[in-house]
Amino acid sequence: MTLLSIAHLSKSFDGVQAVDDVSFDLEAGQLLALIGPNGAGKSTCFNMINGQLKPGAGAIRFEGHDIAGMRPRDIWRLGVGRTFQIAATFNSMTVLENVQMALLSRERRIYSLFGRVASWKEGEALALLDLVGMTAHARRSCAVLAYGDVKRVELAMALANHPKLLLMDEPTAGMAPQERNELMALTARLAKERNIGVLFTEHSMDVVFSHADKLIVLARGRLIAQGDAEAIRNDARVREVYLGTGASFAPRAGAST
Ligand code: ADP
Ligand code: MG
């Protein structure tokens, strides 16, 4: 069964058609990049899928169930994870404690991590940190982490809920090119290993073309093209909407993932 199926999704804000009749599918284990110039409607799409925004029209089927208009918490519970939700307390805890909190929240419990519960879920949390290559940082405060490492912790926290679908709206914003590639390579590996579908946005065309299995291009709310990197790279309409934005569509010399 298709993991995520979007049909005729639309949303307008005060007469601005932010998302206009958008339809696409995402399979388990697939990395799907949603791209398009600023204001194209990417975040609005994400926020309808994660429940933050109510769709104006259309269907959002997750494993066959229409989740359009459901509450964010209920959508999360079905297995739709996202990476940008950082708790206000994030910086006051260690890397390990943050992942433990994410594991506890899956069980609908709210415990203090201070005192005797501090060791709960430690093994499971350390296993998640191992997956994202952060074991060595487990006991460090999140406040002192490098930006790229914060992103890895966010990913471990998102994985704590065993998501079937991961929504990543600009996960690499603010990162250097090499860090961007590393984070998306890690995400791609985990998606394949765990059969997780990933929907992400990303400004760097290099990163998109290197890691996405499939791309969807939005412009002014409308889906103007979809296909693999090769098809999108050669699409005249896509080149047109990106003209003047500085985006590079040329294959990199000696490109590798
Ligand atoms: P993207 O993420 O592709 O940059 P957005 O989804 O954020 O684009 O925005 C799409 C359009 O919808 C833009 O014209 C934006 O100004 C408008 N928009 C987005 N969110 C709101 C909002 N909460 N209220 C009013 N207009 C909005
Ligand atoms: Mg956006």
Side-chain angles (χ1 to χ4, degrees):
M1 184 196 300
T2 299
L3 182 67
L4 178 72
S5 183
I6 304 285
H8 307 294
L9 192 60
S10 297
K11 177 80 185 175
S12 61
F13 298 106
D14 305 323
V16 176
Q17 196 69 42
V19 173
D20 189 1
D21 197 25
V22 166
S23 303
F24 63 86
D25 286 346
L26 168 56
E27 307 296 337
Q30 189 178 49
L31 254 78
L32 176 57
L34 190 56
I35 66 169
N38 279 336
K42 305 180 295 293
S43 293
T44 304
C45 272
F46 271 86
N47 291 333
M48 287 191 278
I49 299 168
N50 69 34
Q52 301 265 74
L53 278 176
K54 221 175 158 62
I60 305 171
R61 286 199 184 77
F62 177 67
E63 296 192 311
H65 306 287
D66 194 355
I67 59 168
M70 273 174 61
R71 289 182 308 169
R73 180 84 190 169
D74 294 331
I75 293 174
W76 175 81
R77 204 166 273 140
L78 288 175
V80 179
R82 51 195 167 132
T83 53
F84 64 87
Q85 264 196 323
I86 283 297
T89 51
F90 184 78
N91 279 328
S92 67
M93 297 193 287
T94 67
V95 168
L96 181 62
E97 285 165 350
N98 269 296
V99 180
Q100 286 176 286
M101 281 302 251
L103 286 165
L104 289 169
S105 104
R106 182 185 82 204
E107 303 198 350
R108 300 190 188 199
R109 296 177 187 166
I110 300 182
Y111 287 116
S112 164
L113 272 174
F114 306 102
R116 63 194 175 83
V117 295
S119 63
W120 285 15
K121 298 274 175 198
E122 195 176 285
E124 208 178 324
L126 284 169
L128 284 168
L129 287 174
D130 187 43
L131 270 183
V132 300
M134 285 293 290
T135 313
H137 299 274
R139 313 282 169 184
R140 295 179 74 199
S141 163
C142 281
V144 303
L145 293 181
Y147 192 69
D149 288 341
V150 169
K151 294 290 170 181
R152 287 169 189 269
V153 177
E154 284 183 48
L155 189 54
M157 290 169 71
L159 292 173
N161 187 41
H162 299 303
K164 296 168 187 165
L165 169 66
L166 204 47
L167 304 174
M168 304 172 86
D169 193 1
E170 301 198 28
T172 69
M175 290 176 122
Q178 190 180 337
E179 273 187 325
R180 287 169 180 249
N181 267 305
E182 283 171 8
L183 185 76
M184 289 320 296
L186 171 65
T187 304
R189 179 170 64 77
L190 293 172
K192 304 296 171 205
E193 279 175 14
R194 306 194 146 206
N195 206 32
I196 300 169
V198 177
L199 182 66
F200 74 107
T201 58
E202 167 64 51
H203 285 298
S204 160
M205 289 300 154
D206 269 358
V207 173
V208 168
F209 289 141
S210 298
H211 301 290
D213 299 309
K214 183 176 144 186
L215 290 83
I216 284 181
V217 188
L218 293 186
R220 297 182 182 199
R222 299 203 72 115
L223 193 158
I224 61 161
Q226 58 180 314
D228 63 12
E230 199 52 32
I232 296 301
R233 218 197 289 272
N234 296 316
D235 189 291
R237 279 203 69 192
V238 175
R239 284 169 174 264
E240 194 183 314
V241 302
Y242 274 100
L243 203 66
T245 64
S248 157
F249 283 80
R252 282 180 298 163
S256 66
T257 51

